[in-house]
Amino acid sequence: MMEHEVELLKLIEKNANLSVNKLAKLMGKKPAEIEEMIAHLEEKKAILGYSTLIDWAKVANEEEVTAMVDVKVTPARGVGFDKVAERIYRFPEVKAVYLMSGAYDLSVSVRGSTMMEIGHFISEKLSTLESVLSTTTHFVLKKYKHDGIILEDEDDDDKRIVVSP
Amino acid sequence: MNQYLSKQVADLKPSGIRKFFDLAAQMDDVISLGVGEPDFVTPWTFIEQSFHALEQGYTSYTENAGMIELREQISGYLNKNYNLDYQPDDQVIVTVGASQAIDLALRTIVNPGDEVIVVEPSFVAYVPAISLAGGTPVTIQTKAEDAFKLKPEQIEEAITPKTKAIMLCNPNNPTGTFLTKEELEPLAEVIEQHDLLVLSDEIYAELTYDENYTSFPSIARMKERTILISGFSKAFAMTGWRLGYATGPAELISAMVKIHQYTMMCAPTMAQHAALEALKNGRQSLQDMVDSYKQRRNFIVSSLNEIGLDCPNPGGAFYAFPSIQATGLTSAEFAEELLQEEQVAVVPGDVFGANGEGYIRCSYATSLKQLDEAMERMKRFVAKRLEKKPVHLEASN
């Protein structure tokens, strides 16, 4: 991949809200060049989407519960873990699925509006899948940092003096 | 009480920056492009290493010249980056910021009446530091049409039988001007011909964006006549830790250590531990900051030019130095009116030397959000002036 494509990706990974004009200025390119690069990166699925990081705890009546579920499964001949992973990641409640090294096979992140809702999903849907051998569920109590962003950074104002040599 | 002041101190002019600081500090909601330091907080790993050192009980003095492990790291770093070869035991001194290194170097070499050349527009401390060391500052005014690059003939013109040394700062504060190897070599020739010493302030060396950096002592035959001054403040975002260093010929460095041991003892121990971590494991943090400065440089330079303030692309440091002549205002008027009307602080160029008149220094070591807002405000401010002065706008094109 070209160096400027990597630069562009790093910029929008940190802030997907930057306008094409601003990106062009930051990278010393023309807006049309940026648009072309983005189109190209979208086409080859290097860019998969643009999301916003929201602290739902700050939004009234929209609190959410997240559980990290360690799942042990039986892999299937020919397709390994991929088939069972797909059975799991198709559920909209499932926000992330990773194949892990170590004590269990799949790490599944599940989101719901109540603990009960998540419990229901795990007992009814996830653990009843044929290839699932066992599940261990951990509920998230507090988010400190997510995707490189600190959620409660209360004290991040500029502490520098206004003018200095 | 003034009669008790030493004549030298009484004669010292207060910094023009100070005056402007007092003005800006009284106001609310100021976006400051007047800050000569990084907006990044020191990378966490350096801070954490300093905590660890404190927990381990590293709270006493270090060797006068600084911890030997740190001097070894500095020596290795200069070797790796600039192909320089300095012995950690007698050619490196760790100081309280590059500022102290400048002071020590000057006090080490200056006899009363010796002249030291300063290239303006320059960092505000050089001239007073030379006076305080008992020397006579002689200034060279680089020209806007040369993109504020020093020319060898300008050094020739400034040299007298009393000239002892020249202070160089590359990349330069406040202009951001960056001199390449090809531009430094002719300067080195004149310097050698006239047997001058060089105090090379390379505090912004890591912050260069387009071309490879050449450290002055790496130029042929310059190492034996150069004191290289640098530090951790700018590249590693460690201004408040006050940690710098100087390297040079052993005779000069040990003389600097002599002054240092009587006047400072040593640089702060906890800061030395943080610096050690910076050199050992700080490369990625540094690179991330450099990438970000480069993007903001691109952003501010194209914005300033769009606004109608002619601004060449600075090759290094984190300052843009646009001309404000199209507005018909002086630097001081521009800075004061901009602060009053739009609450944006910039530094008037004339505080860095007479040839800085007609320019302002805008630091882009500020978040993109703040920079963006500052550019909007400056656009409004400048548009009003350009309406009034259409003739000047044409003249500047």
Side-chain angles (χ1 to χ4, degrees):
Chain A
M1 190 169 288
M2 310 278 275
E3 202 180 309
H4 53 256
E5 287 184 328
V6 176
E7 187 184 4
L8 174 69
L9 289 174
K10 282 184 178 171
L11 274 167
I12 58 176
E13 185 183 35
K14 250 191 239 159
N15 183 1
N17 199 27
L18 288 171
S19 67
V20 167
N21 276 339
K22 210 162 283 170
L23 287 166
K25 273 188 175 182
L26 287 166
M27 292 178 54
K29 304 234 172 267
K30 294 194 183 71
E33 290 176 282
I34 301 291
E35 273 167 354
E36 203 177 300
M37 273 160 68
I38 290 177
H40 176 66
L41 289 163
E42 283 176 347
E43 197 181 324
K44 67 179 198 186
K45 299 219 168 179
I47 297 173
L48 295 164
Y50 303 86
S51 67
T52 308
L53 184 62
I54 296 167
D55 186 356
W56 284 108
K58 298 247 169 66
V59 184
N61 303 324
E62 289 292 343
E63 277 158 58
E64 51 151 40
V65 184
T66 303
M68 316 286 286
V69 191
D70 309 343
V71 186
K72 284 186 185 166
V73 300
T74 328
R77 189 157 188 154
V79 289
F81 293 97
D82 296 354
K83 207 69 205 168
V84 58
E86 186 183 348
R87 285 291 291 275
I88 295 172
Y89 66 61
R90 293 277 177 205
F91 287 108
E93 296 89 335
V94 172
K95 297 301 168 189
V97 179
Y98 308 108
L99 178 63
M100 309 297 286
S101 66
Y104 57 96
D105 305 308
L106 297 173
S107 172
V108 177
S109 159
V110 182
R111 209 183 292 168
S113 43
T114 61
M115 260 163 100
M116 197 98 104
E117 194 181 300
I118 290 180
H120 184 258
F121 171 77
I122 291 167
S123 58
E124 293 295 312
K125 305 284 183 186
L126 190 60
S127 53
T128 53
L129 287 172
E130 208 174 311
S131 28
V132 170
L133 299 173
S134 75
T135 60
T136 311
T137 303
H138 314 272
F139 282 100
V140 174
L141 301 181
K142 183 172 179 179
K143 269 190 201 172
Y144 292 99
K145 188 176 183 180
H146 186 85
D147 271 354
I149 294 178
I150 297 169
L151 272 74
E152 300 266 345
D153 214 353
E154 291 152 1
D155 196 20
D156 63 349
D157 2 321
D158 198 338
K159 295 176 182 66
R160 299 175 299 166
I161 55 173
V162 192
V163 179
S164 60
Chain B
M1 294 300 280
N2 276 344
Q3 72 272 25
Y4 294 109
L5 290 178
S6 82
K7 184 165 165 2
Q8 202 170 47
V9 172
D11 288 350
L12 214 55
K13 273 188 246 136
S15 158
I17 281 196
R18 185 73 227 172
K19 198 180 98 191
F20 200 68
F21 169 77
D22 292 339
L23 199 63
Q26 298 162 2
M27 302 178 70
D28 291 332
D29 291 326
V30 172
I31 296 183
S32 184
L33 308 184
V35 189
E37 60 177 321
D39 57 314
F40 299 104
V41 172
T42 305
W44 178 249
T45 157
F46 315 166
I47 298 175
E48 206 270 342
Q49 187 61 36
S50 182
F51 287 170
H52 179 66
L54 286 169
E55 281 167 353
Q56 296 287 303
Y58 286 104
T59 57
S60 45
Y61 298 128
T62 68
E63 287 161 80
N64 294 129
M67 300 190 312
I68 185 68
E69 303 94 298
L70 179 56
R71 283 182 279 146
E72 281 165 358
Q73 283 291 331
I74 291 169
S75 165
Y77 161 85
L78 292 173
N79 184 267
K80 191 169 168 232
N81 281 268
Y82 310 117
N83 209 16
L84 291 165
D85 193 14
Y86 288 110
Q87 296 307 311
D89 52 345
D90 61 356
Q91 297 187 314
V92 180
I93 176 176
V94 178
T95 58
V96 181
S99 294
Q100 194 214 356
I102 292 166
D103 181 41
L104 288 177
L106 287 166
R107 284 201 276 164
T108 294
I109 61 164
V110 169
N111 282 314
D114 281 350
E115 292 179 357
V116 179
I117 298 173
V118 172
V119 185
E120 289 186 331
S122 81
F123 177 51
V124 296
Y126 297 151
V127 165
I130 293 164
S131 302
L132 285 171
T136 306
V138 173
T139 58
I140 291 178
Q141 314 279 316
T142 55
K143 297 194 182 86
E145 63 258 36
D146 297 332
F148 294 109
K149 289 185 177 185
L150 176 63
K151 300 284 162 185
E153 53 275 18
Q154 292 185 297
I155 306 182
E156 295 265 17
E157 284 163 23
I159 287 173
T160 75
K162 290 182 186 163
T163 309
K164 182 83 167 260
I166 178 166
M167 300 246 12
L168 295 178
C169 181
N170 186 34
N172 186 47
N173 174 8
T175 57
T177 301
F178 169 67
L179 299 176
T180 62
K181 186 164 193 249
E182 290 66 34
E183 289 162 333
L184 289 168
E185 275 167 346
L187 306 179
E189 249 172 68
V190 178
I191 283 162
E192 190 180 19
Q193 263 169 34
H194 295 273
D195 196 21
L196 303 184
L197 282 171
V198 178
L199 272 53
S200 187
D201 182 348
E202 305 191 2
I203 190 78
Y204 294 102
E206 289 279 7
L207 309 183
T208 53
Y209 309 115
D210 307 310
E211 290 180 75
N212 285 337
Y213 185 75
T214 300
S215 177
F216 195 77
S218 72
I219 293 170
R221 297 180 305 285
M222 286 300 111
K223 195 178 154 222
E224 60 255 37
R225 55 176 71 250
T226 302
I227 300 176
L228 164 62
I229 293 164
S230 191
F232 296 86
S233 292
K234 313 291 180 172
F236 291 102
M238 292 178 70
T239 46
W241 300 78
R242 307 308 306 123
L243 209 68
Y245 56 85
T247 62
E251 296 82 355
L252 296 179
I253 296 297
S254 37
M256 285 169 69
V257 174
K258 215 154 61 173
I259 306 175
H260 183 67
Q261 72 185 352
Y262 293 129
T263 56
M264 191 62 73
M265 290 292 271
C266 66
T269 305
M270 54 290 264
Q272 292 192 49
H273 279 276
L276 197 55
E277 176 68 8
L279 290 181
K280 280 183 177 168
N281 298 314
R283 201 69 221 172
Q284 189 59 51
S285 310
L286 183 151
Q287 194 53 51
D288 291 347
M289 292 189 274
V290 171
D291 291 348
S292 173
Y293 289 136
K294 180 178 178 177
Q295 290 163 351
R296 298 185 215 168
R297 191 262 326 240
N298 295 344
F299 179 80
I300 197 171
V301 170
S302 67
S303 301
L304 287 168
N305 282 306
E306 274 173 23
I307 286 170
L309 300 180
D310 185 32
C311 183
N313 202 25
F318 37 57
Y319 307 110
F321 202 63
S323 164
I324 47 102
Q325 288 156 37
T327 62
L329 299 172
T330 67
S331 299
E333 285 165 355
F334 185 98
E336 275 178 40
E337 289 177 25
L338 178 66
L339 184 63
Q340 303 286 1
E341 261 175 57
E342 296 286 356
Q343 291 79 49
V344 175
V346 297
V347 182
D350 61 318
V351 308
F352 304 102
N355 55 337
E357 178 51 52
Y359 298 83
I360 52 168
R361 189 191 74 174
C362 304
S363 163
Y364 50 85
T366 294
S367 72
L368 181 61
K369 201 172 162 188
Q370 293 267 299
L371 270 185
D372 199 20
E373 173 65 21
M375 290 301 111
E376 283 302 316
R377 295 185 189 184
M378 280 175 77
K379 187 178 173 181
R380 227 168 19 221
F381 177 85
V382 172
K384 279 188 226 162
R385 269 72 188 176
L386 293 186
E387 275 166 31
K388 277 190 236 162
K389 295 259 171 197
V391 184
H392 279 267
L393 181 61
E394 268 169 45
S396 76
N397 281 337

